[in-house]
Amino acid sequence: MIRVVGRRKLQPISSKPSGDKLREGILFVEEMGRLCPVKHIPKGIYRFNSHAEMNEYDIDCTVNAMKKLRRKRHEHV
């Protein structure tokens, strides 16, 4: 059995721009950045031979970013 938790109301699409919707979008992007502050993949174009290789690179980048963040936090102690 499926349990419904909450009811989100979809907003109608409008032909007029809305400052409120822009603000909501900006707040969403900022909050996502706060949830995962250590994610850092250097700029560039990457080509991988498999998804596994891509995932390994992603994990390496995340670990390196976490190390840098830890060093930065412990410099100020």
Side-chain angles (χ1 to χ4, degrees), residues 33-49:
R34 277 192 288 276
L35 288 175
C36 190
V38 299
K39 194 71 165 180
H40 176 74
I41 297 178
K43 286 185 179 182
I45 297 172
Y46 300 93
R47 291 184 175 85
F48 301 100
N49 294 320

Side-chain angles (χ1 to χ4, degrees), residues 20-38:
D20 292 335
K21 296 298 175 196
L22 177 62
R23 186 176 55 80
E24 284 180 27
I26 291 169
L27 292 174
F28 174 77
V29 169
E30 288 176 351
E31 187 63 27
M32 293 306 291
R34 277 192 288 276
L35 288 175
C36 190
V38 299

Side-chain angles (χ1 to χ4, degrees), residues 2 12 19 40 60 62:
I2 297 176
H40 176 74
D60 289 343
T62 302

